[in-house]
Amino acid sequence: MNEFDSPILSVRHLNKQFGNGCESCRTQNPEQMLKNYCPVCGTVYACKDVSFDVYPGEVLGIVGESGSGKSTLMKCLYFDQEVTSGVAYIHTYKDGKKNLFEESGQYKRYIRNHLMGKVYQNPILGLKMDFSSIGNIAEKLISAGERHVGTMEARGIELLDHVCIPIHRSKEAPKNFSGGMQQRVQIAKALSNKPPLLLLDEVTTGLDLSVQASVLDLIKNLQRELEISIVLVSHDLGVIRMLADRTLVMLEGRVIEQGLTDQILEDPQHQYTQQLVHSLL
Ligand SMILES: Nc1ncnc2c1ncn2[C@@H]1O[C@H](COP(=O)(O)OP(=O)(O)O)[C@@H](O)[C@H]1O
Ligand SMILES: [Mg+2]
Ligand SMILES: [Zn+2]
């Protein structure tokens, strides 16, 4: 990334709440709230006024404890959930002038299929476990308009090879694979239409440490080679430290700190970030 590049993705004032809110919580008076939850009406304020940019070829880390709103943010960006309010622009989409959240379903599908890839913590959400691995990739290629079987097969094999799935296993279903291999297939699928932006939500959480290291290594290598931009979400600052150029820290739905990862690790400003960093040492 360099400072003269424009961001590939810009997000401003993103809010997501579950519930309609009530008089008590609309003012967001902290004394009336239990973290992000209103005890009067039960509304959860999962993301509050989240703004950030993602630059070409960078890894942006998002770190925060469980429940801080990381997955909700990723779901909103991938249109798995509707935002309550806010805007997002992709620089290469309609000259960066169209708020993605206001696009029709048809255009949102286009954006998901061509401009973004997503990898879920739970592979069941990202893969058809009974389809062959190469079939999972073909499905994504078809959704982006590919029709030629030979092309799809060649691309599928290339992608699986890229993520180190042996070619002779390409017809096997992900349900037969280990957790680490399933994540590799998800990554291959997410990359299949060469999107400029990859969204990774806790992709190594729950894997054995050695497997986790090898998947992180793969992500790092792919990112360098493809010069793709990545938003990497994790509750584990160790994972963020390994990969992220810049980092946002989330707490109770808000971004409480952001900056270069090295700077945040060396000189955390917010008390919560200080705790996170100290627990790494
Ligand atoms: N569908 C939903 N309905 C109500 N509350 C939800 C829903 N999804 C998430 N939440 C709440 O939103 C908050 C943020 O959750 P989430 O984005 O999953 O956090 P994280 O990924 O950081 O652990 C949590 O308080 C969670 O309970
Ligand atoms: Mg989550
Ligand atoms: Zn309320």
Side-chain angles (χ1 to χ4, degrees):
M1 153 195 159
N2 77 58
E3 59 190 304
F4 304 112
D5 283 335
S6 342
I8 166 88
L9 173 72
S10 292
V11 176
R12 294 291 178 272
H13 308 301
L14 187 153
N15 286 287
K16 174 66 183 178
Q17 68 188 61
F18 297 99
N20 295 326
C22 66
E23 232 156 89
S24 165
C25 64
R26 270 186 212 120
T27 55
Q28 290 282 306
N29 179 348
E31 278 160 32
Q32 294 157 353
M33 304 286 290
L34 294 173
K35 294 190 164 189
N36 60 4
Y37 174 78
C38 172
V40 179
C41 69
T43 295
V44 176
Y45 292 84
C47 295
K48 295 186 220 167
D49 198 28
V50 174
S51 298
F52 61 91
D53 294 311
V54 184
Y55 288 89
E58 81 166 336
V59 180
L60 178 71
I62 301 184
V63 69
E65 64 189 12
S66 170
S68 57
K70 307 178 302 293
S71 292
T72 302
L73 177 61
M74 301 293 268
K75 286 176 191 166
C76 289
L77 292 178
Y78 202 60
F79 313 123
D80 284 333
Q81 273 173 359
E82 269 191 42
V83 295
T84 305
S85 62
V87 299
Y89 301 96
I90 288 181
H91 188 66
T92 52
Y93 179 73
K94 297 188 178 173
D95 286 335
K97 290 187 176 124
K98 264 284 183 190
N99 176 9
L100 308 182
F101 299 135
E102 285 179 344
E103 289 291 63
S104 67
Q106 186 192 348
Y107 282 112
K108 282 180 178 164
R109 271 193 300 282
Y110 173 87
I111 295 164
R112 272 169 71 122
N113 288 330
H114 293 87
L115 304 180
M116 295 181 191
K118 182 166 178 185
V119 179
Y120 297 84
Q121 174 179 355
N122 184 347
I124 288 175
L125 297 175
L127 296 174
K128 296 223 162 84
M129 286 301 195
D130 296 326
F131 274 37
S132 68
S133 299
I134 197 163
N136 269 282
I137 292 171
E139 198 194 15
K140 180 93 178 167
L141 293 169
I142 289 167
S143 65
E146 181 58 56
R147 290 291 175 271
H148 191 264
V149 175
T151 310
M152 286 194 274
E153 203 162 281
R155 177 84 181 128
I157 284 173
E158 178 193 15
L159 283 159
L160 289 172
D161 185 50
H162 227 117
V163 298
C164 309
I165 301 287
I167 312 269
H168 69 270
R169 303 197 66 177
S170 66
K171 297 247 159 67
E172 250 178 85
K175 69 176 177 202
N176 296 342
F177 288 172
S178 66
M181 284 175 79
Q182 290 173 349
Q183 293 313 61
R184 289 169 188 275
V185 177
Q186 271 207 90
I187 292 168
K189 179 179 173 182
L191 289 173
S192 55
N193 296 316
K194 304 185 177 170
L197 181 66
L198 202 54
L199 306 174
L200 307 179
D201 189 358
E202 305 270 11
V203 290
T204 60
T205 303
L207 300 176
D208 292 345
L209 279 185
S210 64
V211 178
Q212 179 168 336
S214 76
V215 172
L216 291 173
D217 223 39
L218 169 72
I219 293 168
K220 189 189 255 174
N221 291 334
L222 286 172
Q223 192 272 333
R224 287 206 181 125
E225 193 183 327
L226 305 174
E227 297 180 337
I228 195 169
S229 303
I230 295 180
V231 182
L232 174 77
V233 165
S234 180
H235 70 283
D236 181 350
L237 188 57
V239 167
I240 299 291
R241 172 172 64 179
M242 230 177 282
L243 289 184
D245 303 304
R246 282 192 310 125
T247 295
L248 309 185
V249 183
M250 287 186 73
L251 182 65
E252 295 171 22
R254 286 188 193 284
V255 177
I256 54 159
E257 182 156 358
Q258 57 177 309
L260 293 174
T261 307
D262 289 344
Q263 247 165 33
I264 286 180
L265 289 167
E266 259 170 47
D267 187 20
Q269 299 297 310
H270 193 285
Q271 193 199 342
Y272 172 73
T273 319
Q274 290 167 358
Q275 273 175 27
L276 263 187
V277 172
H278 286 140
S279 67
L280 253 195
L281 305 175

